[in-house]
DNA sequence: CATTGATGCAACTCCAGGGTTGCACCTAAC
DNA sequence: GTTAGGTGCAACCCTGGAGTTGCATCAATG
């Protein structure tokens, strides 16, 4: 979509899509609390099967919100704040941009109204 | 008001869900550029039918990202930055929280390692 | 080596939601 | 009144994603 400032993260849409699912947000929360956990361990704290958790973790990893690494015979996942932070900044910039535009529109409307009053 | 209490992000999930769709982000962009527009007008700047636009606007309005009001025989929509801004702040806080927790975990790991070294 | 616990792969179901079309309704303008 | 542009409602496809089950596979440990 529109990127007000080039240099901003391009993973924004994948991050938004990833965060749109409640189960994935739950998983991120669990991961943030534990620091590190395997898919099997996470599945015990979530109302879905292990396979579902695996799929969700794949989505999260593709979005850069999570990173998985092999430790022995299991795969440990950990949260990765960078992507989330970048998206937060992008959103803040977008909100500021909207504010700016709305202020401009409002100003134009007022001056037009004033002109209307002065020269009908 | 879709912004009840500080900790409990209730409007956040609807905002994330709304933002997850590319067409809706496009619509928001068009709206921000024009300031105000009707569903029919917006449909001409988007690769989908008017009805699809109407549905998207309903979702956006439910999320508090947009506000619609009747003007004559048409309904004008305008962007509403507050909800977006609130979600941006929520995300930033979340990212900061993750950072905090990760730092704690890392510290614990290091002290544990040190203890391991001193008393094996 | 055999066992146990973890991951990986694949096929399958199910449904929410994005998209469409058609028509009815309302309101301004002629 | 009649017309035309705009909105609202409803029924209807259809794809994708969330979730499941079953089995194969690989690594640590006895």
């Amino acid at each position: 979509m529109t990127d007000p400032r080039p240099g901003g993260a391009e993973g924004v849409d994948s991050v938004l899509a990833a965060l749109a699912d409640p189960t994935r947000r739950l998983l991120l929360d669990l991961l943030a609390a534990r620091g590190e956990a395997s898919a099997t361990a996470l599945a015990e704290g979530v109302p879905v099967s292990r396979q579902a958790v695996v799929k969700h973790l794949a989505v999260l990893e593709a979005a850069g919100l999570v990173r998985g690494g092999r430790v022995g015979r299991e795969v440990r996942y950990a949260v990765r704040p960078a992507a989330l932070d970048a998206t937060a900044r992008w959103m803040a910039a977008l909100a500021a941009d909207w504010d700016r535009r709305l202020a401009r529109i409002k100003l134009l409307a007022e001056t037009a109204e004033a002109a209307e009053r002065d020269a009908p």
Side-chain angles (χ1 to χ4, degrees), chain A:
Chain A
M1 164 182 169
T2 347
D3 203 343
R5 295 153 33 151
E10 193 20 70
V12 168
D13 33 349
S14 60
V15 170
L16 288 176
L19 288 177
D21 187 85
T23 303
R24 279 195 288 266
R25 291 200 298 270
L26 216 189
L27 284 175
L28 284 174
D29 206 38
L30 289 178
L31 263 187
R34 302 190 178 196
E36 264 195 2
S38 68
T40 306
L42 286 172
E44 290 170 1
V46 130
V48 298
S49 73
R50 176 184 65 91
Q51 290 299 335
V53 171
V54 169
K55 287 187 187 178
H56 283 309
L57 286 173
V59 174
L60 290 171
E61 189 165 30
L65 288 167
V66 130
R67 194 199 49 200
R70 192 137 215 153
V71 179
R73 67 178 161 186
E74 64 184 23
V75 179
R76 301 270 182 78
Y77 289 88
V79 120
R80 212 157 60 154
L84 208 251
D85 192 58
T87 304
R89 292 179 187 282
W90 174 84
M91 279 183 76
L94 191 61
D97 191 47
W98 289 359
D99 260 330
R100 209 198 84 243
R101 294 189 187 184
L102 287 184
R104 246 177 69 98
I105 302 280
K106 190 182 178 189
L107 183 64
L108 284 179
E110 281 169 356
T111 49
E113 188 184 343
E116 187 78 7
R117 233 190 349 265
D118 292 350

